[in-house]
Amino acid sequence: MTEVLVLIDHADGEVKKPTYELLTLARRLGEPSAVFIGAGSQGAAAAEKVAKYGAEKVYVVDDADIKGYLVAPKAEALQQLVEKSSPAAVLIPSTFEGKEVAGRLAIKIGSGLITDAVDVQADDGGDGTPVTTQSVFAGNYTVTAKVTTGTPIITVKPNSATPEEAAGAGTVEEFAATVSDSAKKAQIVASQPRKASGRPELTEAAIVVAGGRGTGGKFEPVEGLADALGGAVGASRAAVDSGWIPHSFQIGQTGKTVSPQLYVAGGISGAIQHRAGMQTSKTIVAVNKDDEAPIFELVDFGVVGDLHTVFPAAAEKVNER
Ligand code: FAD
C-alpha cells in the first residue's frame, strides 16, 4: 500500500490531537507514516502514541538546524522525505505554521496544494487520489477539490475528523535531513510558553464559547460556560478592538479559524468576517438579544435573550450533571 505522510503537530515533543485526526483520515488513502520533526529525544514516546492511530512508520527528523529556526528547514526536511518515499499524499495540520510549511513544500516539489480541508476521501470512482471538502468565501460555498499536479499536499483543519484508534507498527526510522543555508535565515532567539489557562487551545478545542460586543466587556459568563463545558474561550473582533480580551482569542477573517464540534456565540451579531472563522463548526448555538441578528441565519439552535442570564443558567445546568 502507498505511504501517506502525516506531519506530527507537537508542542516541544508533546503530540497534539490534530495529529490523531490526520492519521485517521490518512488511513483512507493508504498506509500512514508519521513525520516527527524537531524534538528527537521524544521520538520514541511520540512513535508509541501515533502507532495507536495506525502509523506504520515514524520518521524522526532531529537536527539543531531544524529546531533553532522557523519553518523553512521543516519544509526542506519534508521535501527530502517526499522525494525518498513518493507518498500518495502529505497531510499537514491547518495551523499557522502548518500552512506555511505546506506552501513552501508545494513550491519545492512542484505540487498542488489544498488548504483548510474539512474532509478527505479517496476518489473511489477515479484513481484513488484524495478528494477534499473545503468551505470557502466565508462559508458560503462548499468545494470538493483534488490536486492534479504532483504529490497532493493537503492541510486539514483541527476537529475535521474524530480520531479513531487502529494499531500500527510505529517503526521508528531516523531521517537525516540536509538543511541549506538559505533555509536558516530566521532563527528562534527566545520562546515563551503560553500562560496555562487550564482550557484547551482555541484552534483545537472541541467546544468553543465566544463573546462579542454584547458582553459589554464582561467575559465572566463566557468563561463560566466554557469551563462548565470544558471548552475554549473565543471572541469577536469588536470585543478585541474594545480592549476587553487579547487578539489571540479573536475568531474570524483576521483572527483564528476554529472548527469545533460545538460553537456557542454570545452577543455576536454574525458579521461575514466573523463567520469566516467559525462557519465550519459542527453545531452552532447563538444567544442574542436581537431576534433579527444575522447569526441566527446559520445556527442550529438559537436563544433570543441576554447572555448575562442565559450563559450562567446554562453553566449551572451543565455543572449540576
Ligand atoms: P456587533 O456587530 O456590534 O454585535 C453585537 C451583538 O450583540 C448584536 O447582535 C446585539 O444584538 C448583541 N447583544 C448586545 N447585548 C447583548 C446581550 N446582553 N446579550 C446577548 N446579545 C447581545 N470580526 C470578527 O469577529 N473577526 C474577524 O476576524 C474580523 N475581521 C475583520 C476584517 C475586516 C477587514 C473587517 C472590515 C472587519 C472584520 N471584523 C471581524 C469585524 C466585523 O465586521 C464585525 O464588526 C464584528 O464581527 C462585530 O463584532 P460583534 O458581533 O461582537 O459586534
Side-chain angles (χ1 to χ4, degrees):
M1 213 193 272
T2 331
E3 261 185 281
V4 178
L5 296 185
V6 170
L7 181 61
I8 293 183
D9 187 16
H10 68 90
D12 291 330
E14 194 55 46
V15 180
K16 295 167 110 185
K17 183 170 151 265
T19 308
Y20 306 127
E21 297 166 10
L22 294 196
L23 287 167
T24 303
L25 292 173
R27 298 205 304 267
R28 298 175 180 171
L29 310 173
E31 201 170 82
S33 289
V35 184
F36 188 68
I37 300 182
S41 62
Q42 292 162 72
E48 224 173 89
K49 288 184 182 161
V50 296
K52 289 195 186 128
Y53 291 85
E56 293 297 337
K57 216 181 269 177
V58 183
Y59 294 108
V60 174
V61 189
D62 190 36
D63 189 309
D65 282 350
I66 293 180
K67 244 191 281 186
Y69 293 85
L70 292 178
V71 291
K74 291 183 183 162
E76 279 196 355
L78 265 183
Q79 173 194 2
Q80 290 158 30
L81 264 175
V82 169
E83 284 162 358
K84 170 189 174 310
S85 61
S86 305
V90 182
L91 303 188
I92 295 176
S94 264
T95 55
F96 285 129
E97 179 177 296
K99 282 197 266 192
E100 191 176 339
V101 169
R104 286 172 182 268
L105 173 65
I107 299 254
K108 282 176 187 299
I109 62 174
S111 281
L113 163 69
I114 293 174
T115 56
D116 287 338
V118 292
D119 193 21
V120 184
Q121 300 280 351
D123 183 5
D124 285 341
D127 52 7
T129 52
V131 177
T132 64
T133 306
Q134 289 160 285
S135 174
V136 300
F137 295 132
N140 285 313
Y141 292 89
T142 299
V143 170
T144 53
K146 68 180 185 180
V147 167
T148 54
T149 303
T151 305
I153 315 291
I154 300 164
T155 77
V156 183
K157 280 190 185 182
N159 293 309
S160 295
T162 307
E164 284 164 20
E165 293 195 10
T171 310
V172 174
E173 196 175 300
E174 304 283 340
F175 183 78
T178 315
V179 179
S180 69
D181 284 344
S182 64
K184 292 191 278 182
K185 295 229 162 108
Q187 195 170 12
I188 299 169
V189 287
S191 67
Q192 218 174 3
R194 219 164 29 102
K195 247 208 275 170
S197 66
R199 299 190 185 111
E201 167 28 51
L202 181 54
T203 54
E204 290 166 19
I207 298 176
V208 173
V209 183
R213 201 194 306 274
T215 59
K218 295 193 178 72
F219 262 74
E220 293 82 0
V222 177
E223 291 165 349
L225 183 56
D227 290 342
L229 293 167
V233 169
S236 72
R237 178 162 163 180
V240 171
D241 286 352
S242 302
W244 299 335
I245 189 158
H247 179 259
S248 56
F249 289 80
Q250 185 178 316
I251 293 164
Q253 187 181 316
T254 44
K256 290 182 173 159
T257 302
V258 299
S259 200
Q261 297 296 325
L262 173 64
Y263 186 83
V264 186
I268 293 178
S269 60
I272 191 158
Q273 296 89 354
H274 186 77
R275 292 180 187 207
M278 46 65 72
Q279 185 131 7
T280 52
S281 305
K282 307 290 177 302
T283 301
I284 300 173
V285 178
V287 178
N288 198 300
K289 283 209 297 204
D290 175 6
D291 65 356
E292 291 191 2
I295 191 119
F296 286 132
E297 290 163 13
L298 72 152
V299 297
D300 298 285
F301 302 96
V303 179
V304 179
D306 187 331
L307 74 94
H308 295 102
T309 51
V310 177
F311 275 9
E316 201 182 312
K317 283 277 171 216
V318 175
N319 285 330
E320 274 170 20
R321 292 192 179 180

Short mmCIF file of all heavy atoms in Angstrom, two decimals, residues 211-216 235-241 244 247 250-256 263 265-277 286-296 303-310, ligand 1:
data_model
loop_
_atom_site.label_atom_id
_atom_site.label_comp_id
_atom_site.label_asym_id
_atom_site.label_seq_id
_atom_site.Cartn_x
_atom_site.Cartn_y
_atom_site.Cartn_z
N GLY A 211 -17.53 35.33 22.94
CA GLY A 211 -18.30 36.51 23.31
C GLY A 211 -17.97 37.68 22.40
O GLY A 211 -16.84 37.79 21.91
N GLY A 212 -18.94 38.56 22.21
CA GLY A 212 -18.74 39.72 21.35
C GLY A 212 -19.03 41.01 22.08
O GLY A 212 -18.96 41.08 23.31
N ARG A 213 -19.38 42.02 21.28
CA ARG A 213 -19.65 43.34 21.85
C ARG A 213 -20.77 43.27 22.89
O ARG A 213 -20.81 44.03 23.85
CB ARG A 213 -20.04 44.33 20.73
CG ARG A 213 -19.84 45.79 21.13
CD ARG A 213 -20.53 46.75 20.17
NE ARG A 213 -20.18 46.57 18.77
CZ ARG A 213 -19.11 47.13 18.18
NH1 ARG A 213 -18.30 47.89 18.88
NH2 ARG A 213 -18.88 46.92 16.91
N GLY A 214 -21.68 42.32 22.67
CA GLY A 214 -22.81 42.16 23.59
C GLY A 214 -22.42 41.79 25.02
O GLY A 214 -23.24 41.89 25.93
N THR A 215 -21.17 41.38 25.23
CA THR A 215 -20.73 41.08 26.61
C THR A 215 -20.58 42.38 27.40
O THR A 215 -20.57 42.36 28.62
CB THR A 215 -19.36 40.38 26.63
OG1 THR A 215 -18.40 41.22 26.01
CG2 THR A 215 -19.39 39.03 25.93
N GLY A 216 -20.41 43.49 26.66
CA GLY A 216 -20.17 44.76 27.34
C GLY A 216 -18.84 44.74 28.10
O GLY A 216 -18.65 45.52 29.04
N ALA A 235 -13.55 35.13 20.89
CA ALA A 235 -14.13 36.48 20.89
C ALA A 235 -14.29 37.00 19.48
O ALA A 235 -13.62 36.53 18.55
CB ALA A 235 -13.22 37.42 21.68
N SER A 236 -15.17 37.99 19.33
CA SER A 236 -15.28 38.69 18.04
C SER A 236 -14.25 39.82 18.03
O SER A 236 -13.69 40.19 19.06
CB SER A 236 -16.68 39.28 17.88
OG SER A 236 -16.82 40.39 18.75
N ARG A 237 -14.06 40.37 16.86
CA ARG A 237 -13.09 41.47 16.75
C ARG A 237 -13.56 42.70 17.53
O ARG A 237 -12.74 43.44 18.08
CB ARG A 237 -12.90 41.82 15.28
CG ARG A 237 -11.97 42.98 15.09
CD ARG A 237 -11.47 43.03 13.67
NE ARG A 237 -10.91 44.33 13.37
CZ ARG A 237 -10.39 44.65 12.20
NH1 ARG A 237 -10.37 43.76 11.23
NH2 ARG A 237 -9.89 45.83 11.98
N ALA A 238 -14.88 42.90 17.59
CA ALA A 238 -15.38 44.07 18.33
C ALA A 238 -14.94 44.00 19.78
O ALA A 238 -14.56 45.02 20.38
CB ALA A 238 -16.91 44.14 18.22
N ALA A 239 -14.98 42.80 20.35
CA ALA A 239 -14.55 42.64 21.75
C ALA A 239 -13.05 42.85 21.89
O ALA A 239 -12.58 43.46 22.85
CB ALA A 239 -14.94 41.25 22.25
N VAL A 240 -12.31 42.39 20.89
CA VAL A 240 -10.84 42.54 20.93
C VAL A 240 -10.48 44.02 20.74
O VAL A 240 -9.68 44.58 21.50
CB VAL A 240 -10.18 41.66 19.84
CG1 VAL A 240 -8.69 41.97 19.71
CG2 VAL A 240 -10.39 40.18 20.15
N ASP A 241 -11.12 44.66 19.74
CA ASP A 241 -10.80 46.07 19.47
C ASP A 241 -11.19 46.97 20.65
O ASP A 241 -10.62 48.04 20.83
CB ASP A 241 -11.53 46.55 18.20
CG ASP A 241 -10.88 45.99 16.93
OD1 ASP A 241 -9.80 45.37 17.05
OD2 ASP A 241 -11.46 46.17 15.84
N TRP A 244 -11.10 44.36 25.51
CA TRP A 244 -11.65 43.52 26.59
C TRP A 244 -10.92 42.19 26.69
O TRP A 244 -10.98 41.52 27.72
CB TRP A 244 -13.14 43.25 26.36
CG TRP A 244 -13.99 44.49 26.33
CD1 TRP A 244 -13.71 45.69 26.93
CD2 TRP A 244 -15.25 44.66 25.67
NE1 TRP A 244 -14.72 46.59 26.68
CE2 TRP A 244 -15.68 45.98 25.91
CE3 TRP A 244 -16.05 43.83 24.88
CZ2 TRP A 244 -16.87 46.48 25.41
CZ3 TRP A 244 -17.25 44.34 24.40
CH2 TRP A 244 -17.66 45.64 24.66
N HIS A 247 -5.93 39.75 21.36
CA HIS A 247 -6.18 39.35 19.97
C HIS A 247 -6.05 37.84 19.77
O HIS A 247 -6.67 37.27 18.87
CB HIS A 247 -5.20 40.08 19.03
CG HIS A 247 -5.37 39.70 17.60
ND1 HIS A 247 -4.52 38.81 16.97
CD2 HIS A 247 -6.33 40.02 16.68
CE1 HIS A 247 -4.94 38.64 15.72
NE2 HIS A 247 -6.02 39.36 15.52
N GLN A 250 -9.25 36.16 19.18
CA GLN A 250 -10.15 36.57 18.09
C GLN A 250 -10.37 35.47 17.07
O GLN A 250 -9.45 34.83 16.59
CB GLN A 250 -9.58 37.80 17.38
CG GLN A 250 -10.55 38.34 16.31
CD GLN A 250 -10.01 39.59 15.65
OE1 GLN A 250 -9.50 40.48 16.33
NE2 GLN A 250 -10.12 39.66 14.33
N ILE A 251 -11.65 35.31 16.72
CA ILE A 251 -12.05 34.32 15.71
C ILE A 251 -12.54 35.08 14.48
O ILE A 251 -13.33 36.02 14.62
CB ILE A 251 -13.16 33.42 16.27
CG1 ILE A 251 -12.61 32.55 17.40
CG2 ILE A 251 -13.79 32.55 15.18
CD1 ILE A 251 -13.66 31.92 18.26
N GLY A 252 -12.10 34.67 13.31
CA GLY A 252 -12.61 35.30 12.10
C GLY A 252 -11.53 35.52 11.07
O GLY A 252 -10.42 35.01 11.18
N GLN A 253 -11.90 36.32 10.09
CA GLN A 253 -11.04 36.55 8.93
C GLN A 253 -9.64 37.02 9.33
O GLN A 253 -8.65 36.62 8.74
CB GLN A 253 -11.72 37.61 8.05
CG GLN A 253 -11.07 37.87 6.73
CD GLN A 253 -11.82 38.95 5.98
OE1 GLN A 253 -13.05 38.95 5.93
NE2 GLN A 253 -11.11 39.88 5.41
N THR A 254 -9.57 37.92 10.31
CA THR A 254 -8.27 38.43 10.74
C THR A 254 -7.89 37.86 12.11
O THR A 254 -7.05 38.41 12.81
CB THR A 254 -8.27 39.97 10.77
OG1 THR A 254 -9.49 40.40 11.39
CG2 THR A 254 -8.18 40.54 9.38
N GLY A 255 -8.52 36.76 12.46
CA GLY A 255 -8.19 36.07 13.71
C GLY A 255 -7.97 34.60 13.44
O GLY A 255 -7.46 34.23 12.38
N LYS A 256 -8.38 33.78 14.38
CA LYS A 256 -8.16 32.34 14.21
C LYS A 256 -9.36 31.67 13.55
O LYS A 256 -10.48 32.18 13.62
CB LYS A 256 -7.91 31.70 15.59
CG LYS A 256 -6.56 32.12 16.14
CD LYS A 256 -6.24 31.49 17.45
CE LYS A 256 -4.81 31.82 17.85
NZ LYS A 256 -4.55 31.68 19.27
N TYR A 263 -20.02 25.24 18.80
CA TYR A 263 -19.62 26.64 18.88
C TYR A 263 -20.78 27.42 19.49
O TYR A 263 -21.90 27.39 18.98
CB TYR A 263 -19.32 27.19 17.48
CG TYR A 263 -18.77 28.60 17.48
CD1 TYR A 263 -17.42 28.82 17.69
CD2 TYR A 263 -19.60 29.69 17.31
CE1 TYR A 263 -16.91 30.11 17.71
CE2 TYR A 263 -19.10 30.99 17.33
CZ TYR A 263 -17.74 31.18 17.53
OH TYR A 263 -17.24 32.46 17.55
N ALA A 265 -22.03 31.16 20.57
CA ALA A 265 -21.73 32.59 20.44
C ALA A 265 -22.68 33.39 21.31
O ALA A 265 -23.90 33.17 21.26
CB ALA A 265 -21.89 33.02 18.98
N GLY A 266 -22.15 34.31 22.07
CA GLY A 266 -23.00 35.18 22.90
C GLY A 266 -22.71 36.64 22.60
O GLY A 266 -21.56 37.07 22.63
N GLY A 267 -23.74 37.39 22.22
CA GLY A 267 -23.55 38.82 21.95
C GLY A 267 -22.69 39.08 20.73
O GLY A 267 -21.95 40.06 20.67
N ILE A 268 -22.82 38.18 19.76
CA ILE A 268 -22.09 38.32 18.49
C ILE A 268 -23.12 38.40 17.37
O ILE A 268 -24.02 37.55 17.29
CB ILE A 268 -21.13 37.12 18.27
CG1 ILE A 268 -20.01 37.14 19.31
CG2 ILE A 268 -20.56 37.11 16.84
CD1 ILE A 268 -19.02 35.99 19.22
N SER A 269 -23.01 39.43 16.50
CA SER A 269 -24.07 39.65 15.50
C SER A 269 -23.99 38.66 14.34
O SER A 269 -24.99 38.36 13.71
CB SER A 269 -24.01 41.08 14.97
OG SER A 269 -22.74 41.31 14.38
N GLY A 270 -22.77 38.18 14.02
CA GLY A 270 -22.63 37.23 12.91
C GLY A 270 -22.18 37.88 11.63
O GLY A 270 -22.60 37.49 10.54
N ALA A 271 -21.30 38.89 11.74
CA ALA A 271 -20.75 39.54 10.54
C ALA A 271 -19.98 38.51 9.71
O ALA A 271 -19.44 37.55 10.25
CB ALA A 271 -19.80 40.67 10.96
N ILE A 272 -19.93 38.77 8.39
CA ILE A 272 -19.30 37.81 7.48
C ILE A 272 -17.86 37.52 7.86
O ILE A 272 -17.38 36.39 7.76
CB ILE A 272 -19.44 38.30 6.01
CG1 ILE A 272 -19.04 37.19 5.06
CG2 ILE A 272 -18.64 39.56 5.73
CD1 ILE A 272 -19.60 37.32 3.67
N GLN A 273 -17.15 38.55 8.37
CA GLN A 273 -15.74 38.34 8.74
C GLN A 273 -15.63 37.44 9.99
O GLN A 273 -14.63 36.77 10.16
CB GLN A 273 -15.05 39.68 9.03
CG GLN A 273 -14.96 40.61 7.84
CD GLN A 273 -16.16 41.52 7.70
OE1 GLN A 273 -17.15 41.39 8.42
NE2 GLN A 273 -16.08 42.45 6.76
N HIS A 274 -16.64 37.45 10.83
CA HIS A 274 -16.62 36.54 11.98
C HIS A 274 -16.96 35.12 11.53
O HIS A 274 -16.29 34.16 11.90
CB HIS A 274 -17.60 37.00 13.07
CG HIS A 274 -17.49 36.16 14.31
ND1 HIS A 274 -16.48 36.31 15.22
CD2 HIS A 274 -18.24 35.12 14.76
CE1 HIS A 274 -16.59 35.40 16.18
NE2 HIS A 274 -17.67 34.67 15.93
N ARG A 275 -17.96 35.03 10.67
CA ARG A 275 -18.36 33.71 10.15
C ARG A 275 -17.19 32.99 9.49
O ARG A 275 -17.09 31.76 9.56
CB ARG A 275 -19.45 33.86 9.08
CG ARG A 275 -20.76 34.34 9.61
CD ARG A 275 -21.69 34.44 8.43
NE ARG A 275 -22.95 35.04 8.81
CZ ARG A 275 -24.09 34.80 8.18
NH1 ARG A 275 -24.12 33.99 7.15
NH2 ARG A 275 -25.19 35.37 8.56
N ALA A 276 -16.34 33.76 8.82
CA ALA A 276 -15.21 33.15 8.10
C ALA A 276 -14.37 32.28 9.01
O ALA A 276 -13.74 31.34 8.55
CB ALA A 276 -14.34 34.25 7.48
N GLY A 277 -14.39 32.57 10.30
CA GLY A 277 -13.54 31.81 11.22
C GLY A 277 -14.25 30.72 11.98
O GLY A 277 -13.60 30.00 12.75
N ALA A 286 -26.39 30.18 19.23
CA ALA A 286 -26.16 31.61 19.49
C ALA A 286 -27.17 32.14 20.50
O ALA A 286 -28.34 31.72 20.51
CB ALA A 286 -26.26 32.40 18.20
N VAL A 287 -26.69 33.04 21.32
CA VAL A 287 -27.56 33.77 22.25
C VAL A 287 -27.43 35.24 21.88
O VAL A 287 -26.31 35.78 21.88
CB VAL A 287 -27.12 33.55 23.72
CG1 VAL A 287 -28.02 34.34 24.66
CG2 VAL A 287 -27.15 32.06 24.07
N ASN A 288 -28.55 35.85 21.53
CA ASN A 288 -28.51 37.25 21.11
C ASN A 288 -29.83 37.92 21.51
O ASN A 288 -30.89 37.30 21.39
CB ASN A 288 -28.29 37.35 19.59
CG ASN A 288 -27.81 38.72 19.18
OD1 ASN A 288 -28.48 39.72 19.40
ND2 ASN A 288 -26.62 38.77 18.59
N LYS A 289 -29.74 39.17 21.93
CA LYS A 289 -30.96 39.88 22.35
C LYS A 289 -31.85 40.24 21.17
O LYS A 289 -33.05 40.44 21.32
CB LYS A 289 -30.55 41.19 23.06
CG LYS A 289 -30.05 40.97 24.46
CD LYS A 289 -30.30 42.15 25.40
CE LYS A 289 -29.57 43.39 24.99
NZ LYS A 289 -29.34 44.33 26.09
N ASP A 290 -31.22 40.33 19.98
CA ASP A 290 -31.95 40.76 18.79
C ASP A 290 -32.35 39.54 17.95
O ASP A 290 -31.50 38.84 17.40
CB ASP A 290 -31.01 41.68 17.98
CG ASP A 290 -31.61 42.12 16.66
OD1 ASP A 290 -32.80 41.80 16.41
OD2 ASP A 290 -30.88 42.76 15.87
N ASP A 291 -33.67 39.31 17.83
CA ASP A 291 -34.09 38.10 17.10
C ASP A 291 -33.82 38.20 15.60
O ASP A 291 -33.98 37.23 14.86
CB ASP A 291 -35.56 37.76 17.39
CG ASP A 291 -36.52 38.81 16.87
OD1 ASP A 291 -36.06 39.85 16.36
OD2 ASP A 291 -37.75 38.60 16.99
N GLU A 292 -33.40 39.38 15.14
CA GLU A 292 -33.07 39.51 13.71
C GLU A 292 -31.55 39.55 13.47
O GLU A 292 -31.10 39.86 12.38
CB GLU A 292 -33.72 40.77 13.14
CG GLU A 292 -35.23 40.60 13.08
CD GLU A 292 -35.92 41.68 12.29
OE1 GLU A 292 -35.24 42.57 11.75
OE2 GLU A 292 -37.15 41.63 12.25
N ALA A 293 -30.79 39.23 14.49
CA ALA A 293 -29.33 39.23 14.32
C ALA A 293 -28.95 38.21 13.25
O ALA A 293 -29.47 37.09 13.24
CB ALA A 293 -28.65 38.88 15.65
N PRO A 294 -28.05 38.58 12.32
CA PRO A 294 -27.67 37.67 11.22
C PRO A 294 -27.14 36.32 11.68
O PRO A 294 -27.25 35.34 10.94
CB PRO A 294 -26.59 38.45 10.46
CG PRO A 294 -26.70 39.85 10.91
CD PRO A 294 -27.38 39.88 12.24
N ILE A 295 -26.61 36.25 12.89
CA ILE A 295 -26.04 34.97 13.35
C ILE A 295 -27.12 33.88 13.39
O ILE A 295 -26.83 32.70 13.20
CB ILE A 295 -25.35 35.10 14.73
CG1 ILE A 295 -24.54 33.85 15.07
CG2 ILE A 295 -26.34 35.36 15.87
CD1 ILE A 295 -23.11 34.04 15.25
N PHE A 296 -28.38 34.29 13.57
CA PHE A 296 -29.45 33.29 13.64
C PHE A 296 -29.68 32.59 12.30
O PHE A 296 -30.33 31.56 12.24
CB PHE A 296 -30.75 33.93 14.15
CG PHE A 296 -30.72 34.22 15.64
CD1 PHE A 296 -31.12 35.46 16.13
CD2 PHE A 296 -30.30 33.26 16.55
CE1 PHE A 296 -31.08 35.72 17.49
CE2 PHE A 296 -30.26 33.52 17.91
CZ PHE A 296 -30.65 34.76 18.39
N VAL A 303 -31.05 31.19 20.87
CA VAL A 303 -31.79 31.67 22.04
C VAL A 303 -31.86 33.19 21.95
O VAL A 303 -30.81 33.84 21.87
CB VAL A 303 -31.08 31.27 23.36
CG1 VAL A 303 -31.85 31.80 24.57
CG2 VAL A 303 -30.89 29.76 23.45
N VAL A 304 -33.07 33.73 21.92
CA VAL A 304 -33.21 35.18 21.95
C VAL A 304 -33.23 35.57 23.42
O VAL A 304 -34.17 35.22 24.16
CB VAL A 304 -34.51 35.64 21.24
CG1 VAL A 304 -34.64 37.16 21.31
CG2 VAL A 304 -34.51 35.16 19.79
N GLY A 305 -32.17 36.21 23.86
CA GLY A 305 -32.08 36.55 25.28
C GLY A 305 -30.77 37.22 25.59
O GLY A 305 -29.93 37.45 24.71
N ASP A 306 -30.63 37.54 26.87
CA ASP A 306 -29.44 38.24 27.35
C ASP A 306 -28.39 37.21 27.78
O ASP A 306 -28.68 36.36 28.64
CB ASP A 306 -29.85 39.13 28.55
CG ASP A 306 -28.72 40.03 29.00
OD1 ASP A 306 -27.54 39.65 28.82
OD2 ASP A 306 -29.02 41.10 29.53
N LEU A 307 -27.22 37.29 27.20
CA LEU A 307 -26.19 36.29 27.52
C LEU A 307 -25.82 36.31 28.99
O LEU A 307 -25.38 35.30 29.56
CB LEU A 307 -24.95 36.50 26.65
CG LEU A 307 -24.02 37.68 26.96
CD1 LEU A 307 -22.86 37.27 27.87
CD2 LEU A 307 -23.46 38.26 25.68
N HIS A 308 -26.00 37.47 29.63
CA HIS A 308 -25.63 37.57 31.05
C HIS A 308 -26.56 36.76 31.95
O HIS A 308 -26.23 36.49 33.11
CB HIS A 308 -25.59 39.04 31.49
CG HIS A 308 -24.51 39.81 30.78
ND1 HIS A 308 -24.76 40.66 29.74
CD2 HIS A 308 -23.17 39.79 30.94
CE1 HIS A 308 -23.61 41.15 29.29
NE2 HIS A 308 -22.64 40.64 30.00
N THR A 309 -27.72 36.40 31.44
CA THR A 309 -28.58 35.50 32.22
C THR A 309 -28.58 34.08 31.63
O THR A 309 -28.54 33.10 32.37
CB THR A 309 -30.04 36.02 32.29
OG1 THR A 309 -30.48 36.31 30.97
CG2 THR A 309 -30.15 37.26 33.14
N VAL A 310 -28.55 33.99 30.29
CA VAL A 310 -28.63 32.66 29.65
C VAL A 310 -27.36 31.83 29.91
O VAL A 310 -27.45 30.65 30.26
CB VAL A 310 -28.88 32.79 28.12
CG1 VAL A 310 -28.89 31.42 27.46
CG2 VAL A 310 -30.20 33.52 27.86
P1 FAD B 1 -21.75 43.72 16.88
O1 FAD B 1 -21.83 43.55 15.42
O2 FAD B 1 -21.86 45.11 17.45
O3 FAD B 1 -22.87 42.80 17.53
C1 FAD B 1 -23.14 42.73 18.89
C2 FAD B 1 -24.35 41.82 19.04
O4 FAD B 1 -24.57 41.59 20.41
C3 FAD B 1 -25.63 42.39 18.47
O5 FAD B 1 -26.19 41.43 17.58
C4 FAD B 1 -26.52 42.61 19.68
O6 FAD B 1 -27.90 42.36 19.40
C5 FAD B 1 -25.98 41.58 20.64
N1 FAD B 1 -26.14 41.90 22.07
C6 FAD B 1 -25.95 43.09 22.69
N2 FAD B 1 -26.11 42.93 24.03
C7 FAD B 1 -26.40 41.62 24.24
C8 FAD B 1 -26.64 40.84 25.39
N3 FAD B 1 -26.59 41.38 26.63
N4 FAD B 1 -26.93 39.52 25.26
C9 FAD B 1 -26.99 38.94 24.02
N5 FAD B 1 -26.76 39.65 22.87
C10 FAD B 1 -26.44 40.96 22.98
N6 FAD B 1 -14.85 40.44 13.12
C11 FAD B 1 -14.55 39.30 13.78
O7 FAD B 1 -15.29 38.87 14.69
N7 FAD B 1 -13.42 38.59 13.45
C12 FAD B 1 -12.58 38.99 12.49
O8 FAD B 1 -11.55 38.33 12.27
C13 FAD B 1 -12.87 40.18 11.77
N8 FAD B 1 -12.08 40.61 10.76
C14 FAD B 1 -12.44 41.72 10.06
C15 FAD B 1 -11.65 42.11 8.96
C16 FAD B 1 -12.02 43.21 8.23
C17 FAD B 1 -11.19 43.60 7.04
C18 FAD B 1 -13.15 43.96 8.60
C19 FAD B 1 -13.56 45.17 7.80
C20 FAD B 1 -13.91 43.60 9.68
C21 FAD B 1 -13.57 42.48 10.44
N9 FAD B 1 -14.32 42.07 11.54
C22 FAD B 1 -14.02 40.90 12.15
C23 FAD B 1 -15.37 42.93 12.12
C24 FAD B 1 -16.77 42.52 11.74
O9 FAD B 1 -17.14 43.17 10.53
C25 FAD B 1 -17.77 42.95 12.84
O10 FAD B 1 -17.64 44.34 13.06
C26 FAD B 1 -17.55 42.25 14.16
O11 FAD B 1 -17.52 40.85 13.96
C27 FAD B 1 -18.71 42.59 15.09
O12 FAD B 1 -18.50 42.01 16.34
P2 FAD B 1 -19.74 41.69 17.27
O13 FAD B 1 -20.65 40.75 16.58
O14 FAD B 1 -19.20 41.31 18.59
O15 FAD B 1 -20.41 43.14 17.47
#
